[in-house]
C-alpha cells in the first residue's frame, strides 16, 4: 500500500503541488512563530540576566509606608559595614533614574521610556566592574558624564564633546569623559544610559549620601547562601537582600512576559492560516478523488478492500504533509531569522530550534492533510464499484433541505443570536460570548456557502454579461456548476476577509474616538510632557511664567484621597487660565467656582458616586488629613481621557493637602497660536531639556493613535498569510477544473472560442470566486466589528461605529486582485488545450 501511495503521489505531483504549498505555508507560519518566540525569549533572558553572575548579593531599599513612602536607610555607612563582612570582596552603592540625552539638534536620543541614568562607583582600583570603558574613563566631577557605546554612536559624540542631558531636576551641559559597554543589569534594549559621578547621581535621583541598592561581590570560594544570611543579620530597617541568581530569575520573568504575548499572537494567526489551508487541502482531495473514482473502483473490483483503498489515500495525504512539513520547517526557520532582522530593537541571538517546535510542526503538517482528506475519501468509499465503473462522477448538488444545510443554518442563527446578545448586554463576559458566537456563526456560514453561492453569484451576472456577454455567462455557469467546490474555495477567502474587515472597523472606530477626544478637550496650543513617560514636579512649569505672551497651567495630580467615601484623584489647575486651555462642557454649575476654592467634577464620576452641584463632601487622606470640599460644577468628560481630569481643583487647594503632587502635563497657549517660533520659544523657556517634549495637537493625536496603527499593521501582515493561502485555493480549484473540463474546453475552441476568450472566461471565474468570498467575509467582518465595538461603548464614552469604506474597498480590491493573479496559470493552461486531443477524450 505504501508503494502504491508513493507512486500515486509522484503520478499526481502537479495536482498536489498547491496542496503541498498550502501546507508548507501553514507550517512555515507556525514554525517561524515558535522559532522566533523561543529565540526572542532566550535573547531577552540572556540580555536581562547578563551581568548578574558578578553580583553575589543585592541589597535594596524598600519603601516604608509608615514613613511617607521614604526608602529604607542605605547610605555610605551601610555600604562600608557590608564591605567588612566575611566573604565580601566589594560593595558598590547604586542609584538610578530617568536621564535623557539630547542629540546635536536638542532632540532626545533612543527610546525615551528606557532613557536611564546611574552612578559611576569605582572600586579601590578606580574601575567599576559593571562597566567596560572603550574610550576615556568614568566621570569623577560634577560636570562630566559617560555614555554607553550605542548612544554615543547615535549622537555622534566623542570623548571631550559637550553633551546636554536632562533629568527630572532639569537639564545641563556636560563634558563627555568616557564611552563604555555594559550588561543587561544596567542598559535595557533600545535605551540609553548616562553615568554621573556618585554625588551628582544621588542629587538627581534620590538624596545626597543615599543609595537605592548596594551590589556585593564575593571573594572566591564564598558560599552565597551563607553570605546572604550574614548580610540579612546586619541590614538596617526598611531594606532587604536577595542573591544575584534569584534577582536574575526575577528580571528574566519580567523581561519575557511581553515576548510570550507576542508569540501567542503569532501562533494564533498561524492557526488561522492552517484553518484556511484546510479548505484548500480538502477541496484538492475532493477533486482528485472524484477524478480517480474509476481507478479506485477498479482497484476494489480486482480485490482491494474498502479499508485498503482508504489507507492508500490517507497515506498519500500523509506523504504530502510530511514533505511539505519538512520544507515548511526549514522555511519557517528562515522567516524567524528575517523577523529578527526586521525588529532591530529586539536583542540579537542565535536561532533556537527546539525538539518541541520540530514535533509540533511535523505533527500539524502531517495530520492536517489527513484530517482534511478524510471526508472526501469517505464519500468516495461510499460509491459502489459497479456504479463508479459504469458512469462518470456526478456532483451532488447542495440542497436547501439537506441535513448539512439545516445544521449549518441552525449554527448561523445560534451564533448570530449569541453575538447580538453579547453586543446588547455588554456585560463583563460579553466579548467571550461574542467570540464563541462568532466561531459558531462562521462555522455555519462555511457550511451554507454552497447554497449561498448561486444567489450571490447571480447578483454579479448582469455586470459580467454586460462587460463580456458570452464569457461572463459561461463563467457564471461554470462557477455554480459545483456549489460545494465553489463554497469550499470561497470559504477560505471569506475567513481572511472577515478578520481583515473586522480589524478595519475596530481600528477606524478607535482612531476616530481618540482623535475626537483629543481635539475636543484641548484648547491649548501645546502640551508639555515628560519624554520618558515620567511624572514631572510642579516646579517644571515655573520657567514658563517668564515667557512673554504665553498662558499656562500645570496639571498637578494628587492621589490617596477618599472623597465622600469614594477613592478619588484631585488635579490641581490654575483657575484663572484653565478655561482657556481645556474645553470644559459644563452641564451644571459654573467653572468660575474654582476661583472660590470649590471643585469641578466629571459627569461620569458624579454619576458613579451620586454627587450633585452644591454638595459638600468629607475628605480623608492616607496621612490622616481631614477636610471638606464643595462641588461647584459638573462637566462632560471621557473616562479614558489623559487630559481631562475626573476632579478639577484649584492648585492652591491641592497644595494645602499635598506639597509634592506629580505633574501629568503642562498646558500652554501662545498669543499668536501654534507656530515654529512659538514652539521653539516654549522649548527654550523650559531650558532645552531633552526630558520634556513640547507637543501640539497633531503630535498628541499621532501619539495616541500610533499604537493602534502599529498593531493593525502587524495584524494585517499576519492576515495576509491567510489571503495568500486562499488565493492558492482559487488557483488550485481552477487548475483542477481545467483538467476536468478539457473536453468541454476543446469543444468551445472547436466552435470558435479563441484562446483569449478562454483566458477571459477563466479569469472571470476567478473574479466571481473572489467576489463571493470577499462579499461574505466583509459582511461578517463588519458585523463582528459592530458587536465588539458595542462592548467598548459601555466603558468608553463617545465611541461610535465607523465604517472605513475606503479601507474596506481596498481590502476587497486586494482580494479580487489576488484572485485574478491566482487565475493566470490555470487560464494559460486552459488556453493551450489541444483541440483534437481534448474533443477525442472520453
Amino acid at each position: 500500500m505504501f508503494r502504491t501511495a508513493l507512486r500515486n503521489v509522484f503520478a499526481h505531483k502537479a495536482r498536489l503541488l498547491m496542496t503541498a504549498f498550502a501546507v508548507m505555508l501553514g507550517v512555515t507560519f507556525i514554525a517561524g512563530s515558535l522559532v522566533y518566540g523561543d529565540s526572542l525569549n532566550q535573547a531577552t533572558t540572556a540580555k536581562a540576566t547578563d551581568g548578574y553572575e558578578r553580583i553575589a548579593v543585592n541589597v535594596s531599599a524598600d519603601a516604608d509606608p509608615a514613613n511617607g513612602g521614604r526608602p529604607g536607610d542605605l547610605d555610605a555607612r551601610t555600604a562600608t559595614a557590608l564591605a567588612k563582612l566575611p566573604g565580601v570582596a566589594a560593595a558598590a552603592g547604586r542609584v538610578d533614574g530617568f536621564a535623557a540625552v539630547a542629540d546635536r539638534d536638542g532632540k532626545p536620543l533612543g527610546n525615551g521610556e528606557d532613557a536611564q541614568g546611574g552612578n559611576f562607583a569605582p572600586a579601590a582600583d578606580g574601575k567599576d566592574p559593571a562597566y567596560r570603558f572603550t574610550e576615556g574613563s568614568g566621570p569623577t566631577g560634577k560636570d562630566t558624564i559617560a555614555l554607553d557605546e550605542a548612544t554615543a554612536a547615535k549622537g555622534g559624540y566623542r570623548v571631550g564633546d559637550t553633551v546636554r542631558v536632562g533629568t527630572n531636576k532639569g537639564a545641563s551641559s556636560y563634558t563627555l569623559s568616557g564611552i563604555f559597554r555594559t550588561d543587561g543589569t544596567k542598559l535595557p534594549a533600545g535605551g540609553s544610559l548616562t553615568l554621573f559621578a556618585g554625588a551628582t547621581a544621588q542629587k538627581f535621583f534620590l538624596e545626597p549620601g543615599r543609595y537605592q541598592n548596594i551590589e556585593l561581590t564575593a571573594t572566591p570560594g564564598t558560599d552565597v547562601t551563607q553570605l546572604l544570611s550574614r548580610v540579612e543579620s546586619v541590614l538596617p530597617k526598611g531594606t532587604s537582600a536577595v542573591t544575584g541568581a534569584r534577582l536574575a530569575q526575577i528580571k528574566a520573568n519580567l523581561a519575557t512576559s511581553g515576548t510570550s504575548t507576542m508569540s501567542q499572537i503569532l501562533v494564533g494567526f498561524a492557526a488561522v492560516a492552517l484553518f484556511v489551508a484546510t479548505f484548500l487541502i480538502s477541496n484538492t482531495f475532493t477533486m482528485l478523488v472524484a477524478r480517480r473514482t474509476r481507478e479506485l473502483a477498479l482497484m476494489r473490483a480486482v480485490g482491494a478492500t474498502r479499508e485498503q483503498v482508504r489507507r492508500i489515500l490517507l497515506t498519500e495525504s500523509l506523504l504530502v504533509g510530511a514533505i511539505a512539513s519538512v520544507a515548511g520547517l526549514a522555511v519557517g526557520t528562515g522567516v524567524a531569522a528575517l523577523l529578527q532582522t526586521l525588529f532591530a530593537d529586539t536583542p540579537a541571538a542565535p536561532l533556537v530550534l527546539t525538539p518541541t517546535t520540530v514535533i509540533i510542526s511535523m505533527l500539524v503538517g502531517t495530520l492536517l492533510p489527513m484530517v482534511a482528506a478524510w471526508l472526501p475519501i469517505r464519500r468516495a468509499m461510499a460509491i459502489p464499484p459497479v456504479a463508479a465503473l459504469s458512469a462518470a462522477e456526478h456532483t451532488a448538488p447542495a440542497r436547501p433541505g439537506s441535513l448539512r444545510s439545516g445544521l449549518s443554518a441552525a449554527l448561523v442563527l445560534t451564533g448570530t443570536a449569541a453575538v447580538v446578545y453579547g453586543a446588547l448586554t455588554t456585560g463583563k463576559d460579553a466579548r467571550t460570548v461574542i467570540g464563541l458566537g462568532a466561531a459558531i456563526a462562521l462555522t455555519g456560514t462555511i457550511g451554507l456557502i454552497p447554497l449561498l453561492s448561486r444567489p450571490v453569484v447571480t447578483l454579479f451576472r448582469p455586470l459580467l454579461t454586460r462587460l463580456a456577454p458570452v464569457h461572463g455567462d459561461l463563467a457564471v455557469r461554470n462557477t455554480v456548476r459545483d456549489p460545494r467546490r465553489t463554497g469550499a474555495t470561497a470559504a477560505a477567502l471569506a475567513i481572511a476577509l472577515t478578520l481583515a474587515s473586522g480589524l478595519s472597523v475596530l481600528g477606524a472606530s478607535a482612531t476616530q474616538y481618540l482623535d475626537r477626544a483629543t481635539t475636543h478637550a484641548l484648547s491649548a496650543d501645546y502640551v508639555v510632557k515628560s519624554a520618558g513617560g515620567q511624572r514631572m514636579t510642579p516646579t517644571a512649569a515655573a520657567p514658563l511664567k517668564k515667557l512673554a505672551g504665553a498662558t499656562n497651567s500645570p496639571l498637578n495630580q494628587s492621589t490617596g484621597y477618599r472623597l465622600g467615601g469614594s477613592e478619588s484623584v484631585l488635579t490641581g489647575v490654575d483657575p484663572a487660565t484653565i478655561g482657556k486651555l481645556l474645553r470644559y462642557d459644563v452641564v451644571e454649575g459654573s467653572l468660575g467656582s474654582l476661583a472660590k476654592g470649590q471643585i469641578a467634577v466629571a459627569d461620569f464620576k458624579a454619576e458613579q458616586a451620586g454627587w450633585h452641584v452644591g454638595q459638600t463632601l468629607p475628605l480623608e487622606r492616607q496621612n490622616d488629613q481631614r477636610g471638606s470640599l464643595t462641588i461647584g460644577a459638573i462637566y462632560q468628560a471621557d473616562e479614558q481621557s489623559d487630559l481631562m481630569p475626573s476632579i478639577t481643583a484649584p492648585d492652591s487647594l491641592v497644595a494645602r493637602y499635598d506639597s509634592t503632587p506629580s505633574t501629568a502635563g503642562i498646558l500652554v497657549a501662545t498669543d499668536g497660536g501654534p507656530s515654529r517660533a512659538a514652539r521653539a520659544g516654549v522649548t527654550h523657556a523650559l531650558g532645552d531639556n531633552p526630558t520634556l517634549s513640547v507637543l501640539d495637537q497633531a503630535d498628541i493625536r499621532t501619539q495616541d493613535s500610533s499604537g493602534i496603527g502599529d498593531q493593525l499593521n502587524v495584524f494585517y501582515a499576519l492576515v495576509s498569510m491567510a489571503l495568500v493561502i486562499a488565493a492558492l485555493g482559487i488557483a488550485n480549484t481552477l487548475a483542477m477544473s481545467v483538467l476536468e473540463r478539457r473536453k468541454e474546453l476543446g469543444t468551445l475552441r472547436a466552435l470558435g472560442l479563441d484562446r483569449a476568450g478562454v483566458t477571459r472566461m477563466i479569469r472571470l471565474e476567478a473574479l466571481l470566486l473572489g467576489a463571493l468570498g470577499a462579499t461574505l467575509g466583509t459582511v461578517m467582518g463588519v458585523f463582528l466589528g459592530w458587536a465588539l465595538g458595542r462592548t467598548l461603548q459601555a466603558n468608553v464614552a463617545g465611541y461610535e461605529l465607523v465604517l472605513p469604506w475606503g479601507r474596506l474597498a481596498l481590502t476587497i480590491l486586494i482580494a479580487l486582485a489576488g484572485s485574478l493573479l491566482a487565475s493566470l496559470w490555470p487560464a494559460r493552461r486552459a488556453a493551450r488545450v489541444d483541440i483534437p486531443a481534448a474533443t477525442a477524450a472520453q
Side-chain angles (χ1 to χ4, degrees), residues 796-812:
V796 182
Y799 178 93
E800 295 179 358
L801 176 70
V802 175
L803 295 181
W805 296 109
R807 189 172 295 177
L808 292 175
L810 178 62
T811 305
I812 294 174

PDB file of all heavy atoms in Angstrom, residues 796-812:
ATOM      1  N   VAL A 796     -16.234  53.300  27.212  1.00  0.00           N
ATOM      2  CA  VAL A 796     -15.545  54.391  26.507  1.00  0.00           C
ATOM      3  C   VAL A 796     -16.596  55.350  25.971  1.00  0.00           C
ATOM      4  O   VAL A 796     -17.212  55.098  24.928  1.00  0.00           O
ATOM      5  CB  VAL A 796     -14.677  53.845  25.355  1.00  0.00           C
ATOM      6  CG1 VAL A 796     -13.949  54.983  24.670  1.00  0.00           C
ATOM      7  CG2 VAL A 796     -13.694  52.812  25.872  1.00  0.00           C
ATOM      8  N   ALA A 797     -16.827  56.421  26.710  1.00  0.00           N
ATOM      9  CA  ALA A 797     -17.825  57.393  26.291  1.00  0.00           C
ATOM     10  C   ALA A 797     -17.384  58.064  24.991  1.00  0.00           C
ATOM     11  O   ALA A 797     -16.242  58.460  24.844  1.00  0.00           O
ATOM     12  CB  ALA A 797     -18.017  58.445  27.386  1.00  0.00           C
ATOM     13  N   GLY A 798     -18.326  58.187  24.058  1.00  0.00           N
ATOM     14  CA  GLY A 798     -18.013  58.832  22.796  1.00  0.00           C
ATOM     15  C   GLY A 798     -17.565  57.889  21.697  1.00  0.00           C
ATOM     16  O   GLY A 798     -17.347  58.321  20.559  1.00  0.00           O
ATOM     17  N   TYR A 799     -17.418  56.603  22.019  1.00  0.00           N
ATOM     18  CA  TYR A 799     -17.027  55.637  20.986  1.00  0.00           C
ATOM     19  C   TYR A 799     -18.217  55.379  20.075  1.00  0.00           C
ATOM     20  O   TYR A 799     -19.328  55.093  20.536  1.00  0.00           O
ATOM     21  CB  TYR A 799     -16.572  54.332  21.645  1.00  0.00           C
ATOM     22  CG  TYR A 799     -16.181  53.252  20.645  1.00  0.00           C
ATOM     23  CD1 TYR A 799     -14.870  53.107  20.241  1.00  0.00           C
ATOM     24  CD2 TYR A 799     -17.134  52.385  20.119  1.00  0.00           C
ATOM     25  CE1 TYR A 799     -14.512  52.129  19.338  1.00  0.00           C
ATOM     26  CE2 TYR A 799     -16.789  51.408  19.208  1.00  0.00           C
ATOM     27  CZ  TYR A 799     -15.475  51.276  18.824  1.00  0.00           C
ATOM     28  OH  TYR A 799     -15.124  50.307  17.919  1.00  0.00           O
ATOM     29  N   GLU A 800     -18.008  55.488  18.793  1.00  0.00           N
ATOM     30  CA  GLU A 800     -19.063  55.246  17.811  1.00  0.00           C
ATOM     31  C   GLU A 800     -18.532  54.362  16.695  1.00  0.00           C
ATOM     32  O   GLU A 800     -17.335  54.377  16.397  1.00  0.00           O
ATOM     33  CB  GLU A 800     -19.566  56.569  17.220  1.00  0.00           C
ATOM     34  CG  GLU A 800     -20.255  57.478  18.216  1.00  0.00           C
ATOM     35  CD  GLU A 800     -20.715  58.777  17.583  1.00  0.00           C
ATOM     36  OE1 GLU A 800     -20.438  58.955  16.367  1.00  0.00           O
ATOM     37  OE2 GLU A 800     -21.321  59.608  18.274  1.00  0.00           O
ATOM     38  N   LEU A 801     -19.465  53.615  16.098  1.00  0.00           N
ATOM     39  CA  LEU A 801     -19.088  52.749  14.982  1.00  0.00           C
ATOM     40  C   LEU A 801     -18.724  53.590  13.768  1.00  0.00           C
ATOM     41  O   LEU A 801     -19.452  54.501  13.381  1.00  0.00           O
ATOM     42  CB  LEU A 801     -20.248  51.811  14.628  1.00  0.00           C
ATOM     43  CG  LEU A 801     -20.027  50.905  13.420  1.00  0.00           C
ATOM     44  CD1 LEU A 801     -18.979  49.839  13.741  1.00  0.00           C
ATOM     45  CD2 LEU A 801     -21.332  50.236  12.995  1.00  0.00           C
ATOM     46  N   VAL A 802     -17.578  53.273  13.181  1.00  0.00           N
ATOM     47  CA  VAL A 802     -17.126  53.938  11.959  1.00  0.00           C
ATOM     48  C   VAL A 802     -16.869  52.869  10.909  1.00  0.00           C
ATOM     49  O   VAL A 802     -16.138  51.907  11.159  1.00  0.00           O
ATOM     50  CB  VAL A 802     -15.830  54.753  12.202  1.00  0.00           C
ATOM     51  CG1 VAL A 802     -15.317  55.332  10.894  1.00  0.00           C
ATOM     52  CG2 VAL A 802     -16.086  55.858  13.208  1.00  0.00           C
ATOM     53  N   LEU A 803     -17.484  53.034   9.757  1.00  0.00           N
ATOM     54  CA  LEU A 803     -17.246  52.097   8.658  1.00  0.00           C
ATOM     55  C   LEU A 803     -16.209  52.716   7.723  1.00  0.00           C
ATOM     56  O   LEU A 803     -16.504  53.690   7.016  1.00  0.00           O
ATOM     57  CB  LEU A 803     -18.544  51.814   7.898  1.00  0.00           C
ATOM     58  CG  LEU A 803     -19.635  51.084   8.691  1.00  0.00           C
ATOM     59  CD1 LEU A 803     -20.853  50.840   7.814  1.00  0.00           C
ATOM     60  CD2 LEU A 803     -19.119  49.768   9.238  1.00  0.00           C
ATOM     61  N   PRO A 804     -15.001  52.182   7.714  1.00  0.00           N
ATOM     62  CA  PRO A 804     -13.944  52.748   6.849  1.00  0.00           C
ATOM     63  C   PRO A 804     -14.132  52.278   5.409  1.00  0.00           C
ATOM     64  O   PRO A 804     -13.492  51.324   4.958  1.00  0.00           O
ATOM     65  CB  PRO A 804     -12.670  52.183   7.479  1.00  0.00           C
ATOM     66  CG  PRO A 804     -13.086  50.876   8.081  1.00  0.00           C
ATOM     67  CD  PRO A 804     -14.502  51.051   8.524  1.00  0.00           C
ATOM     68  N   TRP A 805     -15.006  52.957   4.689  1.00  0.00           N
ATOM     69  CA  TRP A 805     -15.365  52.497   3.348  1.00  0.00           C
ATOM     70  C   TRP A 805     -14.143  52.371   2.451  1.00  0.00           C
ATOM     71  O   TRP A 805     -14.036  51.415   1.672  1.00  0.00           O
ATOM     72  CB  TRP A 805     -16.381  53.464   2.730  1.00  0.00           C
ATOM     73  CG  TRP A 805     -17.678  53.520   3.464  1.00  0.00           C
ATOM     74  CD1 TRP A 805     -18.163  54.544   4.221  1.00  0.00           C
ATOM     75  CD2 TRP A 805     -18.669  52.483   3.515  1.00  0.00           C
ATOM     76  NE1 TRP A 805     -19.381  54.227   4.756  1.00  0.00           N
ATOM     77  CE2 TRP A 805     -19.721  52.972   4.342  1.00  0.00           C
ATOM     78  CE3 TRP A 805     -18.770  51.222   2.962  1.00  0.00           C
ATOM     79  CZ2 TRP A 805     -20.865  52.222   4.602  1.00  0.00           C
ATOM     80  CZ3 TRP A 805     -19.901  50.463   3.232  1.00  0.00           C
ATOM     81  CH2 TRP A 805     -20.932  50.958   4.041  1.00  0.00           C
ATOM     82  N   GLY A 806     -13.229  53.304   2.554  1.00  0.00           N
ATOM     83  CA  GLY A 806     -12.040  53.235   1.710  1.00  0.00           C
ATOM     84  C   GLY A 806     -11.195  52.015   2.003  1.00  0.00           C
ATOM     85  O   GLY A 806     -10.750  51.307   1.089  1.00  0.00           O
ATOM     86  N   ARG A 807     -10.971  51.732   3.294  1.00  0.00           N
ATOM     87  CA  ARG A 807     -10.150  50.583   3.667  1.00  0.00           C
ATOM     88  C   ARG A 807     -10.857  49.269   3.326  1.00  0.00           C
ATOM     89  O   ARG A 807     -10.228  48.308   2.887  1.00  0.00           O
ATOM     90  CB  ARG A 807      -9.819  50.640   5.157  1.00  0.00           C
ATOM     91  CG  ARG A 807      -8.801  49.613   5.610  1.00  0.00           C
ATOM     92  CD  ARG A 807      -8.387  49.854   7.043  1.00  0.00           C
ATOM     93  NE  ARG A 807      -7.691  51.127   7.187  1.00  0.00           N
ATOM     94  CZ  ARG A 807      -7.268  51.605   8.343  1.00  0.00           C
ATOM     95  NH1 ARG A 807      -7.476  50.936   9.465  1.00  0.00           N
ATOM     96  NH2 ARG A 807      -6.626  52.754   8.399  1.00  0.00           N
ATOM     97  N   LEU A 808     -12.184  49.235   3.537  1.00  0.00           N
ATOM     98  CA  LEU A 808     -12.932  48.023   3.187  1.00  0.00           C
ATOM     99  C   LEU A 808     -12.881  47.784   1.679  1.00  0.00           C
ATOM    100  O   LEU A 808     -12.702  46.643   1.229  1.00  0.00           O
ATOM    101  CB  LEU A 808     -14.386  48.153   3.649  1.00  0.00           C
ATOM    102  CG  LEU A 808     -14.622  48.163   5.166  1.00  0.00           C
ATOM    103  CD1 LEU A 808     -16.092  48.428   5.474  1.00  0.00           C
ATOM    104  CD2 LEU A 808     -14.191  46.835   5.779  1.00  0.00           C
ATOM    105  N   ALA A 809     -13.046  48.872   0.909  1.00  0.00           N
ATOM    106  CA  ALA A 809     -12.979  48.734  -0.544  1.00  0.00           C
ATOM    107  C   ALA A 809     -11.595  48.282  -0.992  1.00  0.00           C
ATOM    108  O   ALA A 809     -11.460  47.440  -1.893  1.00  0.00           O
ATOM    109  CB  ALA A 809     -13.344  50.060  -1.215  1.00  0.00           C
ATOM    110  N   LEU A 810     -10.558  48.818  -0.336  1.00  0.00           N
ATOM    111  CA  LEU A 810      -9.201  48.420  -0.677  1.00  0.00           C
ATOM    112  C   LEU A 810      -8.977  46.936  -0.380  1.00  0.00           C
ATOM    113  O   LEU A 810      -8.342  46.230  -1.170  1.00  0.00           O
ATOM    114  CB  LEU A 810      -8.199  49.274   0.110  1.00  0.00           C
ATOM    115  CG  LEU A 810      -6.717  48.939  -0.112  1.00  0.00           C
ATOM    116  CD1 LEU A 810      -6.327  49.161  -1.569  1.00  0.00           C
ATOM    117  CD2 LEU A 810      -5.829  49.781   0.810  1.00  0.00           C
ATOM    118  N   THR A 811      -9.502  46.465   0.751  1.00  0.00           N
ATOM    119  CA  THR A 811      -9.363  45.055   1.096  1.00  0.00           C
ATOM    120  C   THR A 811     -10.037  44.172   0.059  1.00  0.00           C
ATOM    121  O   THR A 811      -9.493  43.135  -0.351  1.00  0.00           O
ATOM    122  CB  THR A 811      -9.966  44.788   2.492  1.00  0.00           C
ATOM    123  OG1 THR A 811      -9.363  45.661   3.437  1.00  0.00           O
ATOM    124  CG2 THR A 811      -9.722  43.355   2.921  1.00  0.00           C
ATOM    125  N   ILE A 812     -11.235  44.582  -0.372  1.00  0.00           N
ATOM    126  CA  ILE A 812     -11.949  43.812  -1.399  1.00  0.00           C
ATOM    127  C   ILE A 812     -11.169  43.820  -2.707  1.00  0.00           C
ATOM    128  O   ILE A 812     -11.049  42.778  -3.386  1.00  0.00           O
ATOM    129  CB  ILE A 812     -13.372  44.375  -1.599  1.00  0.00           C
ATOM    130  CG1 ILE A 812     -14.205  44.144  -0.333  1.00  0.00           C
ATOM    131  CG2 ILE A 812     -14.047  43.735  -2.807  1.00  0.00           C
ATOM    132  CD1 ILE A 812     -15.571  44.798  -0.373  1.00  0.00           C
TER     133      ILE A 812
END
